[in-house]
Amino acid sequence: MAEKAILFDTSQCSGCKGCQAACKCWNDLPSPTALNADAPSFTGTYQNPPDLSGVTRLVMTFSEEQGGPKGIKWAFGRRSCQHCGDAPCATICPAGAIFVDEATGLVTTDAARCIGCRFCASACPFDVPRYAGDRGVINKCTGCVDRVANGLAPACVTTCQPGALSFGDRDEMVARAEERAAVLRERGYADAVAYGADEVGGLHVIQVLKYGAAAHGQRPDPAVNPAVQLTQVMKPVTGAVTGLTVAGLAAMFALGAGYKRDRRAYNPATGDTLDVDTREVIKHGDGQDTESVKEHILENLPRRKGGDHE
Amino acid sequence: MSNEAYVPTAAEARADEEFLRAQEASGTERFIKRHSLQARVTHGVTIACCLWLVVSGLFVFIPALAQAAGPGVVFAMRMSHRVIGVAFIAVPLVSALLAPKGVRHIFRNLFAKWDSDDKKWMILFFPYLFMAKWIHMPDQHELKSGQRFADGMLWFSGALMAVTGVILLVGSTVASFPAVYAWTLFLHDIGFFLICVFGLAHIFLGAGIFQPYRGSARLMFGDGMVSESDALYHWGHWAREELESGENVVEKEARR
């Protein structure tokens, strides 16, 4: 199967939020229904819930700005997992609970393997994964890989009435997005862009952003936190250096086999440090050592147990 | 300039001989008190915590282990990591509050000026580890120069683990700061790396696995005392100072 992608054309979106509802239905995710349950108070926006959460994988965003050919830019945005080509969440996940579906390139999850560490949330350049505290697992769009494997489109795409969402081979979605963005620019929407072809290794959610990336709530230049790769480097480095340390210590132990040391005693009256068995004076007084490093290393003959003069 | 064997005067030789005979006749051996009970208990609890933190941390650090163990085991390990982490931080802190003079003493030793014996000891340390039978090391003060460095690294990495651990705990429970969290995780990994290297070396030497350090375990896991002979070998300058003052010296039945 070729790499797949969702195409979201903001110029065709009616803001009905059917995709949001479909996502909830297909994934059996509840919606808080109490008054102001999602936001602390009424915010005056049509956007609801205000952001992604442990039970919300897709939020349509609504942004109004002055400008554009018609005097106002009402920009709908799609806030959900972008299914990065170089998915840092999958890279950093220690449990293998977030992984790239090889057949489609979509970044999916296996809640049964999730350990709730939230490393993925710290790695995501789009701030997408959310912790579902009641279940102790992370929550994010799976790309509906179960549906895709059975020949269906993701639930959000299937339900989209105005045809703003489509699903298909990624190359085709990218080509269509670029073509549509060019058409929009010709019609006077100078900031219209196709988004997602190259970002973070190539996203699997391609978007036509009528008023430009920022207006639709997208990051113009998303970047993965370098700490994500560094933590991955630390694993083999720690393993290798620890292994070397153990090997070195084992060698020291092997070379130290048969080591014996004569007993020592100190006579404060004379200031002599003595070898109890041979009665030799090992050192007189408490002065600093006067041998060179080389002499220390080469003094392997018992008769050279020298003492310091003071 | 080489250390040449010191030839004592006749009077000194007689005094030394009498001293050794008297010591043998007494059937006792001199020991120097080195670590207090509080220091030993703090060290013991910290070690137990540290070992458990290493083991439980591995379940997140090594993906293959996490995946083999399954989320239930990893969850239990993660939770124990948090609880034991609190003990790892709290026990030394409480101990420090109970004995501020001890803390000052530790840090004074850690940052003591290095004399020529200290520098020479450090240069000779790696050759010594592989040629202990042939190399005799320069005398040392209460903390060997290498100890100062290694203990300092353990203190540093322990503190790094503690601070980053608290940030990770807060960032995964009551607050959210993803970018800082990712960097903190990296620093936590750096601390783990240092603990692995310096901790292993510390165990190898401190527990007396290395043959010339046999008996060292008694210092922290026994009665906290070091025999005169071992003290003179490991910390010559300190041992002579202590033996002359006699303040921390006790006589016990000789080990035969």
Side-chain angles (χ1 to χ4, degrees):
Chain A
M1 194 186 285
E3 275 193 53
K4 300 291 181 187
I6 294 170
L7 170 62
F8 173 49
D9 183 351
T10 60
S11 68
Q12 293 184 21
C13 180
S14 63
C16 70
K17 299 201 277 192
C19 50
Q20 249 184 244
C23 178
K24 289 269 186 186
C25 291
W26 179 256
N27 294 300
D28 197 18
L29 294 167
S31 294
T33 52
L35 185 64
N36 295 330
D38 283 321
S41 61
F42 180 62
T43 57
T45 176
Y46 189 48
Q47 184 174 320
N48 182 45
D51 201 1
L52 302 170
S53 72
V55 291
T56 302
R57 297 176 182 177
L58 168 62
V59 168
M60 291 308 291
T61 62
F62 296 82
S63 165
E64 270 182 62
E65 282 178 32
Q66 284 194 327
K70 293 176 181 170
I72 187 157
K73 299 192 282 189
W74 199 20
F76 303 134
R78 186 180 195 275
R79 177 142 168 66
S80 187
C81 177
Q82 310 263 32
H83 299 279
C84 308
D86 296 332
C89 56
T91 302
I92 205 168
C93 178
I98 298 186
F99 55 95
V100 175
D101 179 53
E102 286 182 11
T104 61
L106 296 167
V107 182
T108 193
T109 65
D110 181 352
R113 290 156 81 175
C114 181
I115 58 171
C117 63
R118 290 179 247 191
F119 290 0
C120 52
S122 73
C124 179
F126 300 104
D127 185 27
V128 165
R130 288 290 187 276
Y131 184 63
D134 56 335
R135 290 177 289 139
V137 295
I138 213 75
N139 184 48
K140 77 160 206 75
C141 170
T142 62
C144 283
V145 288
D146 49 347
R147 290 173 61 94
V148 175
N150 287 284
L152 298 170
C156 56
V157 177
T158 303
T159 206
C160 183
Q161 270 195 325
L165 287 168
S166 0
F167 182 75
D169 289 351
R170 186 174 182 275
D171 292 344
E172 187 194 336
M173 298 297 114
V174 170
R176 276 172 56 182
E178 280 164 358
E179 196 180 317
R180 179 66 182 162
V183 168
L184 288 170
R185 282 194 295 271
E186 276 172 25
R187 289 184 186 172
Y189 297 99
D191 296 329
V193 287
Y195 181 89
D198 303 314
E199 285 79 1
V200 199
L203 307 178
H204 291 76
V205 174
I206 309 298
Q207 304 189 60
V208 178
L209 304 172
K210 192 175 171 182
Y211 301 113
H216 291 273
Q218 299 301 326
R219 297 187 177 175
D221 190 16
V224 176
N225 190 330
V228 173
Q229 278 309 321
L230 289 172
T231 54
Q232 298 313 300
V233 169
M234 284 311 294
K235 292 178 197 294
V237 166
T238 303
V241 176
T242 303
L244 277 175
T245 305
V246 171
L249 297 178
M252 291 165 202
F253 181 77
L255 288 166
Y259 174 90
K260 257 187 101 176
R261 185 167 73 231
D262 292 338
R263 284 191 304 127
R264 296 175 180 198
Y266 176 63
N267 184 1
T270 57
D272 288 341
T273 300
L274 305 159
D275 184 316
V276 173
D277 301 315
T278 63
R279 273 21 194 186
E280 264 181 59
V281 175
I282 299 169
K283 178 166 180 167
H284 180 69
D286 192 39
Q288 296 280 301
D289 183 89
T290 53
E291 274 186 346
S292 68
V293 168
K294 192 177 165 191
E295 284 169 329
H296 270 280
I297 293 173
L298 297 177
E299 59 161 6
N300 56 356
L301 298 173
R303 63 182 169 78
R304 294 203 58 194
K305 272 189 213 162
D308 269 5
H309 293 282
E310 277 198 340
Chain B
M1 186 175 136
S2 165
N3 287 341
E4 286 166 24
Y6 176 71
V7 183
T9 63
E12 282 174 340
R14 251 193 326 275
D16 286 340
E17 185 57 33
E18 278 168 21
F19 167 78
L20 290 173
R21 280 193 183 158
Q23 218 176 30
E24 282 160 5
S26 71
T28 61
E29 195 175 348
R30 289 190 293 184
F31 286 83
I32 307 171
K33 289 185 211 160
R34 191 165 162 87
H35 297 303
S36 69
L37 178 63
Q38 186 184 330
R40 283 176 277 142
V41 169
T42 306
H43 180 259
V45 173
T46 309
I47 280 187
C49 290
C50 188
L51 289 176
W52 185 253
L53 289 171
V54 167
V55 170
S56 54
L58 284 177
F59 281 81
V60 173
F61 189 72
I62 304 175
L65 185 59
Q67 288 161 38
V73 174
V74 178
F75 182 80
M77 285 293 172
R78 282 184 56 234
M79 292 307 112
S80 72
H81 196 80
R82 293 175 174 189
V83 174
I84 300 300
V86 170
F88 177 74
I89 296 168
V91 170
L93 278 181
V94 170
S95 186
L97 289 172
L98 291 173
K101 276 186 189 169
V103 176
R104 273 199 298 277
H105 183 77
I106 288 170
F107 282 92
R108 209 171 34 236
N109 272 337
L110 278 181
F111 295 104
K113 200 175 168 206
W114 286 31
D115 60 22
S116 99
D117 277 0
D118 290 329
K119 290 171 195 163
K120 207 178 287 176
W121 194 96
M122 198 69 224
I123 296 167
L124 285 165
F125 183 52
F126 274 97
Y128 167 79
L129 286 171
F130 295 96
M131 303 165 68
K133 291 177 197 167
W134 300 282
I135 297 178
H136 100 258
M137 299 291 271
D139 286 329
Q140 293 287 277
H141 298 283
E142 187 171 356
L143 270 192
K144 296 172 185 176
S145 49
Q147 259 183 307
R148 278 177 241 171
F149 174 68
D151 288 4
M153 289 307 289
L154 278 178
W155 277 100
F156 170 74
S157 39
L160 182 65
M161 294 301 267
V163 171
T164 54
V166 168
I167 296 173
L168 290 175
L169 181 62
V170 171
S172 60
T173 50
V174 293
S176 178
F177 31 76
V180 173
Y181 192 92
W183 280 109
T184 308
L185 189 62
F186 170 61
L187 290 176
H188 205 64
D189 286 354
I190 294 270
F192 179 60
F193 168 81
L194 294 174
I195 291 259
C196 281
V197 174
F198 287 97
L200 279 170
H202 187 77
I203 291 168
F204 182 67
L205 300 175
I209 298 168
F210 187 44
Q211 291 85 345
Y213 282 61
R214 283 275 149 83
S216 304
R218 177 189 171 129
L219 288 171
M220 275 301 182
F221 296 102
D223 57 10
M225 294 191 201
V226 59
S227 71
E228 173 182 9
S229 180
D230 284 349
L232 284 165
Y233 177 77
H234 289 296
W235 306 281
H237 294 309
W238 172 77
R240 282 187 277 272
E241 208 175 288
E242 289 290 342
L243 290 166
E244 272 177 16
S245 89
E247 200 181 325
N248 295 310
V249 178
V250 291
E251 292 206 7
K252 294 169 79 172
E253 198 177 329
R255 292 171 297 179
R256 296 289 178 219

